[in-house]
Structures are given as structure tokens and as C-alpha cells.
Amino acid sequence: MSMSTPGPERVPSTVKVGKTTGQGKPPAGKSGGNQTAADRQGNKAGKKGRKPVTPVKVSGGRNWGPIAVAGAVILIAAGIIGYGVYASVQGSRDWTDKLADISGVVNYRAEKNPKIDDRTHKDGAQTYVTNPPVGGAHNQSWQNCMGDVYTEPIANEHAVHSLEHGAVWITYKQGLAADQVDVLKKKVEGKDYMLMSPYAGLDKNVSVQVWGYQLKTDDVNDSRIDDFISAARIKASMEPGAACSSGNTTTGPITAGAGNGTGMDTAGS
Amino acid sequence: MIQDVTSPDAAPASGEAPAPRRRFGYAAVAVLLAGIVLGAAIGLVIPHFRTPADDSVEAGFLRDMSSHHAQAVEMAMIAHAGSDTPGIVTLAADIATTQQAQIGYMQAWLRDWDLSPTSDQQPMAWMPDSAGSVVNGLMPGMATPEQLASLRKATGKEQDIQFLTLMRAHHLGGIHMAQEAEKLSGNEDVDWLADSMVAAQQGEIQLIDDLLKQAQAG
């Protein structure tokens, strides 16, 4: 009743907002509520126009319950979505990203060099633009890469075909100390899609390569070698599902006409 | 009371009255949207809880058995190309094609689960009490590089005997791995494949024993 007395239209309206939604009801019953409300209006009536903003804040306060619940739900949902996205992004993180994180890895795939990207099968000796090669035309026969440790240099033309099948090829400077070679050997033995051989004219002690990627280092204990193998073995395959078995097991350079058979019935050396 | 208060100025009152209902409507829509978002989020996360993890028995078994199988394929291909004994040529073809196909299953599942086909862990790490079973990186039953070189070099009956002997040991190792995986894994697909490996390779061992007797007798 008393509310209607402070003439200005704006004032009653704000009061009603206050009453209907929240605090209004219980105090209304006590009648004291009305008085306090009226007192507030009285105070505010002095500045009339602006003061009603304060009761609006009161009305906002009444909605804190639902807002808090909705906020909590949204926060939890965002948290779960965030985790889900994080988990799926981490899980399916591409092997190329993992390789990119390893310092010193050269990405030859990015160069789009036709001499490196060439995947045709050609007979006889081939020339390669990187040393050791990481891709390019190669012989029909691949070098057996079932954890094979070759003690003599192998033909690039065969090894490149192994890279195409997803193998990691570890090469080391010819004449590297035996104990250092043994460190590398342990990374290869018993693991398919791995092969290893000495390499003539290598500028570093070790060069590790898959199709299109290469890492060179002087330290056989360099942890980047393991990171490289872990990220790229099998994943780097240009022909998913292609095997490392049934490959050529002979060593030495390609001679004209050789390297066309599977190498299975040639005596391994 | 409230009605009394509102009655003097009817216009604002009628304007105000629906407001709470609208607010309730907005809240309902908000809750609905939050529910949809929540559902989508759970749907996004749950497959990661349901598929085997990177260090699971399943992942370890599929990776290791892929490598193990690959060597069986290699030996079978040597025998298939080198043997003159029809029974061995057929057995070799059977082993090579079956096990290469099984590698396909195993690699496809790892890919489906967003797992790498390879692991940083040692072979057989998924199997308890496997310490000592891996020698020079070779899993149980696997032939050494020297044995493989010898198999490649051998011809005729000598190669037949070497192949059958190596493949028998290879199968025994493989059966052991598959049985352990079946015991440890709760994954239906992995159990099914492991079970089929055990059954097929046990049957093949009997055939290998017969062929070995013939080769040694002949």
C-alpha cells in the first residue's frame, strides 16, 4: 500500500520486481518487509530516477541459485570437453608432429623434391640427392629389414625400398668403434621394420632415416635417435602393410642386372 | 498483498508477470543445451576409456605378435620358394598368408585405438614373469639371425628340416604368448584372435611333426 504513495512510476515497478521473484514473499507476510522496502524507497526517493538501479541488483541476487547451478554445469561441461579434446588430440597426435619436435630432424618430404619423392622401381644403380638417401627411385627388391644388422655396406637401391615399406635405416660411419656399433645394434635386433649397416663417406658418426626424414648425430647414445625411431618406425611407410620380410639379404653395391630378384634364394652373406 | 500492490499500475504489472515464466523457459533451454554439450563431451571421452591404453596388455600383445608373426611369414616365404616337398610348400603358403592377414587385423586395431604400431617398451613387457624370455631382442620361439641365414643357405631336405624345426619352436612361442594374452585381456576381439591363433598353430604343430618325420625318414 505504502508503495503506491511515492508517486514516481519507476519506483513501484522496481519494487514489484523485487517482490515477485524472491525476497518479496516472506517479508511481505511479516509486514515488516513492506516497511523496509518503503524505507528504501523513501531514501532513494530523494534522487528518484537513478536509485532504483539498486533494487535491480537485488533482483539479480535472487537468481544466484539457478545461475550458480547453470554456471557449475557449464564449468564441468567445459572441463570435460577440454579433457576430451586434449585426450583425443594427444592420442592421435601425428607422427610428423612428433618428428618435428625433435631438433635436427630434416624433413625432405616438405621440399617436394621430385628426385626424393620418386617412388618408381628401376633396375640397376641409381643416383640419390642426399647421403644416405631418404627416398627416390629404387630397385624392385627391398633390403630385408626384419631387425637385420648388416656388417657391410648395403645397396642404396635396396635400402630406399625398405624405407618405402616403413623401415628405419640406421647407418653409421664405416670404421666406427665396435662398442659404439653395439649400442646401435641393440636398437635394431629383434625388431621388424629396422635395419642397420655401415655407410661409406658419412659426414657424421650416425645417420638415421625413414622415407623423407633424416637425423644425423655424432653420438650413438643421442636420445634423439630413440625418439626418431619411436615416432617414425612403420608410421613413415609409404605403403602401409608392406612387409620387411622376403627382402634381399646380400650386401655390397648394385651390379648391372642384379637386384631384381627377391633375394630369398640367394645365399645371404 | 502482491496483487494489491500491482493493481494500481496495471500496465507494468502485466509486463512483469510473464517475465519469470520466460526466465524459466530460458533456464530450461540452457539446461537442455548444457545437457547436450555434456552428453557430447562424455561421448567424446568415453571411447578413450573403453579402448585399450598405450601400456595395456592388448596393445603390447598386438605389437609383439605382429613382429613375431612377421618372422613366421619370413621363414614361410623362404620355405615356400625353396622347398620341393608339396606338403611343405602348402604349409608354408598357409602360414605366410594367414599370419600376414592377422598382422593386418592387429595393426588395424592399434590404428583404430589411436595407438602407435610400435612401443618404447621392451618386447613382452605386457606379460608378467616374462623376464628372461627375450634374448637379444628376440621373443620366445623366434629364430636367431644365424638360424635364418642358415635356413636361407640350406637346400632340399636340409632346408625342409630346418624350416620345420624352426617353425615348430616359433609356433610354441607364439601359442604361449597368445594363451597369456587371452588370460590377461578382457577385449573380445583380441581374445577371439588369440584363441584362433592357439587353435590353428596347435593343429599345425601336429602337421609339422608328421612332415618332420617324413623328411627325416626320407
Side-chain angles (χ1 to χ4, degrees):
Chain A
M1 302 294 171
S2 55
M3 292 170 183
S4 54
T5 46
E9 288 172 13
R10 286 174 191 174
V11 178
S13 75
T14 55
V15 171
K16 263 175 258 152
V17 169
K19 269 193 162 188
T20 42
T21 6
Q23 266 185 330
K25 282 184 184 177
K30 290 171 188 172
S31 79
N34 276 346
Q35 285 180 355
T36 52
D39 289 346
R40 277 183 207 153
Q41 285 160 14
N43 295 338
K44 291 149 201 167
K47 289 180 183 178
K48 287 174 188 175
R50 299 247 162 139
K51 283 288 170 182
V53 174
T54 317
V56 170
K57 276 181 191 167
V58 172
S59 79
R62 279 184 234 115
N63 286 331
W64 273 121
I67 286 170
V69 170
V73 165
I74 287 164
L75 269 180
I76 292 167
I80 292 172
I81 289 170
Y83 173 76
V85 168
Y86 171 81
S88 63
V89 165
Q90 281 301 107
S92 60
R93 202 159 164 268
D94 202 67
W95 64 275
T96 54
D97 294 336
K98 290 178 183 167
L99 276 189
D101 285 350
I102 305 170
S103 69
V105 170
V106 183
N107 179 358
Y108 287 103
R109 294 193 189 197
E111 291 185 7
K112 308 277 179 209
N113 184 340
K115 285 286 280 178
I116 294 173
D117 294 342
D118 188 358
R119 290 176 51 196
T120 55
H121 292 175
K122 289 180 181 165
D123 286 344
Q126 306 293 317
T127 53
Y128 293 98
V129 293
T130 64
N131 191 34
V134 296
H138 45 268
N139 284 183
Q140 191 187 349
S141 173
W142 59 93
Q143 192 72 16
N144 213 62
C145 37
M146 298 289 295
D148 294 78
V149 176
Y150 300 97
T151 51
E152 298 295 323
I154 58 176
N156 286 337
E157 292 80 358
H158 293 159
V160 169
H161 198 159
S162 304
L163 300 183
E164 192 187 29
H165 284 203
V168 180
W169 180 24
I170 298 182
T171 52
Y172 57 92
K173 196 182 267 180
Q174 232 175 341
L176 189 69
D179 58 331
Q180 295 192 49
V181 174
D182 280 348
V183 172
L184 298 173
K185 195 176 164 185
K186 286 215 164 56
K187 303 180 192 299
V188 178
E189 279 181 326
K191 292 197 174 73
D192 52 346
Y193 295 93
M194 292 288 300
L195 76 162
M196 162 177 162
S197 66
Y199 198 89
L202 202 56
D203 53 343
K204 295 256 187 178
N205 281 341
V206 185
S207 177
V208 194
Q209 42 271 318
V210 290
W211 185 278
Y213 289 91
Q214 192 166 55
L215 171 72
K216 288 183 174 180
T217 175
D218 274 323
D219 179 11
V220 294
N221 291 305
D222 194 327
S223 63
R224 292 178 301 162
I225 296 175
D226 294 326
D227 294 341
F228 185 91
I229 294 168
S230 164
R233 180 171 154 235
I234 299 178
K235 291 261 185 178
S237 178
M238 302 301 284
E239 297 173 348
C244 262
S245 58
S246 302
N248 177 76
T249 53
T250 58
T251 54
I254 283 297
T255 50
N260 297 322
T262 60
M264 280 194 306
D265 35 15
T266 56
S269 63
Chain B
M1 290 287 282
I2 294 164
Q3 279 177 349
D4 289 348
V5 173
T6 51
S7 57
D9 26 37
S14 63
E16 296 280 326
R21 269 178 230 152
R22 256 186 225 151
R23 232 175 259 141
F24 182 75
Y26 290 142
V29 169
V31 166
L32 199 70
L33 281 176
I36 290 168
V37 164
L38 204 66
I42 291 167
L44 194 69
V45 171
I46 273 187
H48 287 274
F49 294 145
R50 282 175 54 198
T51 60
D54 193 54
D55 58 352
S56 64
V57 166
E58 288 83 1
F61 171 68
L62 297 186
R63 287 164 180 156
D64 285 352
M65 193 51 98
S66 291
S67 291
H68 203 267
H69 268 32
Q71 198 193 57
V73 172
E74 169 161 50
M75 295 193 294
M77 291 302 284
I78 294 171
H80 189 261
S83 180
D84 294 324
T85 312
I88 289 177
V89 172
T90 306
L91 171 70
D94 193 3
I95 291 172
T97 52
T98 303
Q99 301 217 357
Q100 191 64 36
Q102 287 175 347
I103 290 171
Y105 275 109
M106 295 189 281
Q107 294 295 308
W109 288 338
L110 288 170
R111 194 180 155 81
D112 283 350
W113 302 341
D114 272 344
L115 299 179
S116 167
T118 61
S119 166
D120 297 333
Q121 287 185 306
Q122 284 299 303
M124 310 294 291
W126 55 273
M127 201 171 112
D129 310 321
S130 65
S133 66
V134 177
V135 182
N136 291 333
L138 297 173
M139 286 174 268
M142 282 179 79
T144 64
E146 294 75 26
Q147 287 173 321
L148 288 171
S150 170
L151 178 66
R152 280 194 193 95
K153 218 173 279 181
T155 52
K157 196 173 71 181
E158 196 200 324
Q159 195 196 54
D160 284 356
I161 292 172
Q162 282 190 25
F163 166 68
L164 293 169
T165 308
L166 290 174
M167 191 56 87
R168 191 181 197 286
H170 200 277
H171 271 14
L172 286 175
I175 289 167
H176 177 57
M177 284 167 70
Q179 282 174 333
E180 286 298 312
E182 241 189 300
K183 240 185 271 172
L184 298 167
S185 164
N187 184 285
E188 238 176 80
D189 290 331
V190 172
D191 284 350
W192 163 77
L193 189 64
D195 187 53
S196 78
M197 286 175 190
V198 171
Q201 294 186 25
Q202 277 174 341
E204 272 171 6
I205 284 179
Q206 290 187 333
L207 177 60
I208 287 171
D209 284 344
D210 289 345
L211 289 166
L212 205 51
K213 258 181 225 162
Q214 289 169 25
Q216 282 161 339

